[in-house]
Amino acid sequence: MIVARRGLLAGAAALVMLGVAAPVGVATAAPTDTPATLVASIESDPSPTVRAGESMTSIATVHNEDSVPLDDARVEMRVTSAPLGDLGALDAFLAGSRPRMTAVGAADVGISLTLPPAAGTPVAPEDGEVEPETVHRLAPGGSATVSVTAAAADLPFAPDTWAVHGVEVVLVTDQETRVLL
């Protein structure tokens, strides 16, 4: 299970308006009765205004409160592929309805480790060698702070226009994807 902690301006969604700042909607996470194994928090929200040629960055911290390591988790930033065209679309986005989202940045959580091949791993017939596996691991009780940046070239914004786009920052694990912002 992943529990999201939100900062003062963080919510279920952030909005990016090109050229003009817009207020950010604030929502809170529903409480859970299940003990958390991961706790994630947003340390820095993406900028609410992005101009041509600018990137967006968000910083998140992930704590592994479980007794086993967490492998290959990542924090992603996603942006609506098309602008939110009217107040109805904006209200729906803030209420949790998600139109098509485009992943614009990601950061792996934890340290990179190269694991030796497991005993009994079949050997590839071409070269007779088994490739080691590389994972990003967050140790039990450990935490990691990651910075996720969406480069200007990766943002799906039309040139020389302004528009409101929805932005979300999510924590992705093998078990689930949880919206942090």
Side-chain angles (χ1 to χ4, degrees), residues 9 14 23 36 44 58 64 75 88 105 122 127 140 142-143 163-164 177-178:
L9 292 178
S44 174
S58 183
N64 181 3
V75 176
D127 55 14
S143 65
V164 175
T177 298
R178 175 64 58 118

PDB file of all heavy atoms in Angstrom, residues 9 14 23 36 44 58 64 75 88 105 122 127 140 142-143 163-164 177-178:
ATOM      1  N   LEU A   9       0.117  23.262  -0.890  1.00  0.00           N
ATOM      2  CA  LEU A   9      -0.516  23.524  -2.179  1.00  0.00           C
ATOM      3  C   LEU A   9      -0.749  22.276  -3.000  1.00  0.00           C
ATOM      4  O   LEU A   9      -1.279  22.343  -4.092  1.00  0.00           O
ATOM      5  CB  LEU A   9       0.338  24.504  -3.005  1.00  0.00           C
ATOM      6  CG  LEU A   9       0.399  25.918  -2.457  1.00  0.00           C
ATOM      7  CD1 LEU A   9       1.307  26.770  -3.329  1.00  0.00           C
ATOM      8  CD2 LEU A   9      -0.982  26.534  -2.381  1.00  0.00           C
ATOM      9  N   ALA A  14      -2.490  19.204 -10.103  1.00  0.00           N
ATOM     10  CA  ALA A  14      -2.002  20.570 -10.249  1.00  0.00           C
ATOM     11  C   ALA A  14      -2.393  21.015 -11.639  1.00  0.00           C
ATOM     12  O   ALA A  14      -2.690  20.192 -12.493  1.00  0.00           O
ATOM     13  CB  ALA A  14      -0.487  20.615 -10.075  1.00  0.00           C
ATOM     14  N   PRO A  23      -4.961  29.440 -10.187  1.00  0.00           N
ATOM     15  CA  PRO A  23      -4.985  28.810  -8.874  1.00  0.00           C
ATOM     16  C   PRO A  23      -4.945  27.297  -9.000  1.00  0.00           C
ATOM     17  O   PRO A  23      -5.440  26.739  -9.969  1.00  0.00           O
ATOM     18  CB  PRO A  23      -6.312  29.274  -8.267  1.00  0.00           C
ATOM     19  CG  PRO A  23      -7.059  29.963  -9.340  1.00  0.00           C
ATOM     20  CD  PRO A  23      -6.158  30.164 -10.504  1.00  0.00           C
ATOM     21  N   ALA A  36       0.554   1.260   6.261  1.00  0.00           N
ATOM     22  CA  ALA A  36       1.279   1.652   5.056  1.00  0.00           C
ATOM     23  C   ALA A  36       2.652   1.000   5.018  1.00  0.00           C
ATOM     24  O   ALA A  36       3.309   0.872   6.036  1.00  0.00           O
ATOM     25  CB  ALA A  36       1.436   3.157   5.016  1.00  0.00           C
ATOM     26  N   SER A  44       8.150  19.546  -3.499  1.00  0.00           N
ATOM     27  CA  SER A  44       8.095  20.734  -4.346  1.00  0.00           C
ATOM     28  C   SER A  44       7.147  20.460  -5.504  1.00  0.00           C
ATOM     29  O   SER A  44       7.331  19.494  -6.245  1.00  0.00           O
ATOM     30  CB  SER A  44       9.498  21.061  -4.869  1.00  0.00           C
ATOM     31  OG  SER A  44       9.456  22.111  -5.801  1.00  0.00           O
ATOM     32  N   SER A  58       9.304  18.617 -10.238  1.00  0.00           N
ATOM     33  CA  SER A  58       8.678  18.323  -8.956  1.00  0.00           C
ATOM     34  C   SER A  58       9.641  17.439  -8.174  1.00  0.00           C
ATOM     35  O   SER A  58      10.359  16.628  -8.758  1.00  0.00           O
ATOM     36  CB  SER A  58       7.342  17.599  -9.154  1.00  0.00           C
ATOM     37  OG  SER A  58       6.717  17.377  -7.915  1.00  0.00           O
ATOM     38  N   ASN A  64      10.260   3.743   2.580  1.00  0.00           N
ATOM     39  CA  ASN A  64       9.877   2.330   2.597  1.00  0.00           C
ATOM     40  C   ASN A  64       9.780   1.893   4.050  1.00  0.00           C
ATOM     41  O   ASN A  64      10.784   1.655   4.708  1.00  0.00           O
ATOM     42  CB  ASN A  64      10.908   1.480   1.856  1.00  0.00           C
ATOM     43  CG  ASN A  64      10.532   0.014   1.824  1.00  0.00           C
ATOM     44  OD1 ASN A  64       9.476  -0.388   2.304  1.00  0.00           O
ATOM     45  ND2 ASN A  64      11.408  -0.799   1.265  1.00  0.00           N
ATOM     46  N   VAL A  75       8.903   7.579  -9.753  1.00  0.00           N
ATOM     47  CA  VAL A  75       7.993   8.708  -9.673  1.00  0.00           C
ATOM     48  C   VAL A  75       7.897   9.280 -11.080  1.00  0.00           C
ATOM     49  O   VAL A  75       8.912   9.507 -11.734  1.00  0.00           O
ATOM     50  CB  VAL A  75       8.505   9.776  -8.676  1.00  0.00           C
ATOM     51  CG1 VAL A  75       7.596  10.999  -8.682  1.00  0.00           C
ATOM     52  CG2 VAL A  75       8.603   9.182  -7.273  1.00  0.00           C
ATOM     53  N   GLY A  88     -16.002  22.859 -17.091  1.00  0.00           N
ATOM     54  CA  GLY A  88     -16.474  21.493 -16.863  1.00  0.00           C
ATOM     55  C   GLY A  88     -15.331  20.497 -16.918  1.00  0.00           C
ATOM     56  O   GLY A  88     -15.239  19.595 -16.078  1.00  0.00           O
ATOM     57  N   GLY A 105       8.083  12.927 -17.705  1.00  0.00           N
ATOM     58  CA  GLY A 105       9.316  12.822 -16.931  1.00  0.00           C
ATOM     59  C   GLY A 105       9.189  11.700 -15.915  1.00  0.00           C
ATOM     60  O   GLY A 105       8.084  11.362 -15.495  1.00  0.00           O
ATOM     61  N   PRO A 122      18.266 -19.927 -17.121  1.00  0.00           N
ATOM     62  CA  PRO A 122      18.702 -20.520 -18.390  1.00  0.00           C
ATOM     63  C   PRO A 122      19.720 -19.633 -19.101  1.00  0.00           C
ATOM     64  O   PRO A 122      19.651 -18.415 -19.034  1.00  0.00           O
ATOM     65  CB  PRO A 122      17.421 -20.650 -19.207  1.00  0.00           C
ATOM     66  CG  PRO A 122      16.406 -19.817 -18.516  1.00  0.00           C
ATOM     67  CD  PRO A 122      16.869 -19.593 -17.110  1.00  0.00           C
ATOM     68  N   ASP A 127      25.170 -16.720 -26.905  1.00  0.00           N
ATOM     69  CA  ASP A 127      26.505 -16.409 -26.405  1.00  0.00           C
ATOM     70  C   ASP A 127      26.891 -17.219 -25.164  1.00  0.00           C
ATOM     71  O   ASP A 127      28.016 -17.099 -24.685  1.00  0.00           O
ATOM     72  CB  ASP A 127      26.616 -14.916 -26.100  1.00  0.00           C
ATOM     73  CG  ASP A 127      25.553 -14.425 -25.139  1.00  0.00           C
ATOM     74  OD1 ASP A 127      24.877 -15.254 -24.499  1.00  0.00           O
ATOM     75  OD2 ASP A 127      25.416 -13.212 -25.019  1.00  0.00           O
ATOM     76  N   PRO A 140      14.659  -1.561   3.163  1.00  0.00           N
ATOM     77  CA  PRO A 140      13.653  -1.492   4.230  1.00  0.00           C
ATOM     78  C   PRO A 140      14.008  -0.370   5.209  1.00  0.00           C
ATOM     79  O   PRO A 140      15.164  -0.231   5.604  1.00  0.00           O
ATOM     80  CB  PRO A 140      13.757  -2.850   4.927  1.00  0.00           C
ATOM     81  CG  PRO A 140      14.457  -3.744   3.966  1.00  0.00           C
ATOM     82  CD  PRO A 140      15.325  -2.861   3.117  1.00  0.00           C
ATOM     83  N   GLY A 142      14.307   2.614   4.528  1.00  0.00           N
ATOM     84  CA  GLY A 142      15.024   3.678   3.830  1.00  0.00           C
ATOM     85  C   GLY A 142      14.100   4.694   3.187  1.00  0.00           C
ATOM     86  O   GLY A 142      12.896   4.490   3.069  1.00  0.00           O
ATOM     87  N   SER A 143      14.698   5.800   2.782  1.00  0.00           N
ATOM     88  CA  SER A 143      13.944   6.812   2.048  1.00  0.00           C
ATOM     89  C   SER A 143      14.812   7.372   0.934  1.00  0.00           C
ATOM     90  O   SER A 143      16.036   7.289   0.983  1.00  0.00           O
ATOM     91  CB  SER A 143      13.469   7.929   2.979  1.00  0.00           C
ATOM     92  OG  SER A 143      14.566   8.634   3.511  1.00  0.00           O
ATOM     93  N   ALA A 163      -2.881  27.815 -22.541  1.00  0.00           N
ATOM     94  CA  ALA A 163      -3.946  26.861 -22.246  1.00  0.00           C
ATOM     95  C   ALA A 163      -3.753  26.315 -20.836  1.00  0.00           C
ATOM     96  O   ALA A 163      -2.677  26.436 -20.257  1.00  0.00           O
ATOM     97  CB  ALA A 163      -3.931  25.708 -23.251  1.00  0.00           C
ATOM     98  N   VAL A 164      -4.791  25.700 -20.313  1.00  0.00           N
ATOM     99  CA  VAL A 164      -4.725  25.054 -19.008  1.00  0.00           C
ATOM    100  C   VAL A 164      -4.595  23.551 -19.241  1.00  0.00           C
ATOM    101  O   VAL A 164      -5.391  22.954 -19.966  1.00  0.00           O
ATOM    102  CB  VAL A 164      -5.992  25.354 -18.178  1.00  0.00           C
ATOM    103  CG1 VAL A 164      -5.966  24.571 -16.873  1.00  0.00           C
ATOM    104  CG2 VAL A 164      -6.110  26.847 -17.918  1.00  0.00           C
ATOM    105  N   THR A 177      -0.301   2.132  -8.854  1.00  0.00           N
ATOM    106  CA  THR A 177       0.085   3.486  -9.209  1.00  0.00           C
ATOM    107  C   THR A 177      -0.740   4.413  -8.331  1.00  0.00           C
ATOM    108  O   THR A 177      -1.968   4.315  -8.313  1.00  0.00           O
ATOM    109  CB  THR A 177      -0.189   3.762 -10.703  1.00  0.00           C
ATOM    110  OG1 THR A 177       0.608   2.879 -11.480  1.00  0.00           O
ATOM    111  CG2 THR A 177       0.125   5.201 -11.063  1.00  0.00           C
ATOM    112  N   ARG A 178      -0.062   5.299  -7.616  1.00  0.00           N
ATOM    113  CA  ARG A 178      -0.756   6.192  -6.679  1.00  0.00           C
ATOM    114  C   ARG A 178      -0.484   7.640  -7.049  1.00  0.00           C
ATOM    115  O   ARG A 178       0.658   8.047  -7.213  1.00  0.00           O
ATOM    116  CB  ARG A 178      -0.247   5.918  -5.260  1.00  0.00           C
ATOM    117  CG  ARG A 178      -0.774   6.830  -4.198  1.00  0.00           C
ATOM    118  CD  ARG A 178      -2.274   6.713  -3.983  1.00  0.00           C
ATOM    119  NE  ARG A 178      -2.657   5.373  -3.640  1.00  0.00           N
ATOM    120  CZ  ARG A 178      -3.231   5.021  -2.510  1.00  0.00           C
ATOM    121  NH1 ARG A 178      -3.516   5.925  -1.622  1.00  0.00           N
ATOM    122  NH2 ARG A 178      -3.527   3.770  -2.288  1.00  0.00           N
TER     123      ARG A 178
END
